[in-house]
């Protein structure tokens, strides 16, 4: 798990969750998640339960994640650089520095740890179109 931008305590908690799921105890430690990640923990778990996280992989091995938000909007998340295209990430994480991450990025980390990601193979062109569409939305 490449989450080197997260504090060590957050990384350790995600490792424990992954281990718990590998041992089939399925203990998500929601109280610890809430303590570390705050108000986005429960909504992130809901997104994981709804299987809202899709990992897109191109033939060259490039990976990005898309999360279907509770509003029905699709957000693109980059776990490699700890970034989400949602407004909450821009405001709470980048501008205000109030949170470590948004519920979408946390859902990506949790779904990876729990093995709950949807998987989708896409062509290089499809991946490029997704990335270009994100740039147009921001611009």
């Amino acid at each position: 798990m490449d989450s080197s931008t997260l504090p060590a305590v957050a990384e350790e908690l995600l490792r424990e969750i992954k281990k718990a799921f590998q041992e089939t105890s399925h203990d998500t430690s929601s109280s610890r998640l809430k303590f570390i990640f705050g108000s986005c923990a429960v909504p992130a778990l809901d997104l994981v339960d709804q299987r809202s996280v899709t990992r897109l992989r191109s033939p060259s091995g490039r990976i990005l994640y898309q999360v279907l938000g509770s509003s029905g909007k699709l957000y693109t998340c980059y776990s490699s650089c700890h970034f989400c295209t949602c407004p909450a990430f821009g405001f709470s994480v980048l501008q205000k520095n109030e949170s470590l991450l948004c519920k979408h990025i946390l859902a990506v980390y949790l779904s990876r740890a729990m093995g709950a990601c949807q998987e989708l193979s896409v062509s290089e062109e499809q991946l490029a179109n997704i990335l270009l569409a994100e740039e147009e939305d921001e611009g």
Side-chain angles (χ1 to χ4, degrees), residues 10-75:
E11 290 182 27
E12 180 60 28
L13 178 56
L14 291 169
R15 276 193 293 275
E16 286 178 24
I17 290 169
K18 182 175 183 176
K19 184 178 177 192
F21 269 78
Q22 288 171 341
E23 294 170 355
T24 67
S25 66
H26 299 286
D27 172 24
T28 59
S29 306
S30 62
S31 61
R32 290 190 293 164
L33 282 171
K34 285 186 240 179
F35 180 76
I36 301 293
F37 297 109
S39 61
C40 71
V42 172
L45 285 169
D46 288 342
L47 291 172
V48 174
D49 286 343
Q50 295 165 15
R51 301 203 42 96
S52 298
V53 178
T54 303
R55 182 169 83 167
L56 306 173
R57 179 188 292 267
S58 71
S60 66
R62 290 183 178 91
I63 295 174
L64 64 88
Y65 295 84
Q66 288 191 317
V67 180
L68 183 61
S70 53
S71 66
K73 184 164 173 34
L74 198 59
Y75 297 105

Side-chain angles (χ1 to χ4, degrees), residues 39-133:
S39 61
C40 71
V42 172
L45 285 169
D46 288 342
L47 291 172
V48 174
D49 286 343
Q50 295 165 15
R51 301 203 42 96
S52 298
V53 178
T54 303
R55 182 169 83 167
L56 306 173
R57 179 188 292 267
S58 71
S60 66
R62 290 183 178 91
I63 295 174
L64 64 88
Y65 295 84
Q66 288 191 317
V67 180
L68 183 61
S70 53
S71 66
K73 184 164 173 34
L74 198 59
Y75 297 105
T76 301
C77 299
Y78 308 89
S79 64
S80 60
C81 62
H82 187 69
F83 182 81
C84 179
T85 58
C86 77
F89 186 86
F91 184 73
S92 296
V93 178
L94 298 178
Q95 287 181 359
K96 293 279 191 173
N97 203 24
E98 293 174 342
S99 301
L100 290 173
L101 36 70
C102 66
K103 66 182 179 182
H104 308 109
I105 286 281
L106 181 54
V108 166
Y109 290 141
L110 291 172
S111 64
R112 283 173 38 186
M114 297 173 183
C117 280
Q118 303 286 343
E119 299 284 336
L120 184 62
S121 294
V122 296
S123 69
E124 299 297 336
E125 184 178 353
Q126 289 171 313
L127 192 67
N129 287 337
I130 291 167
L131 295 172
L132 289 172

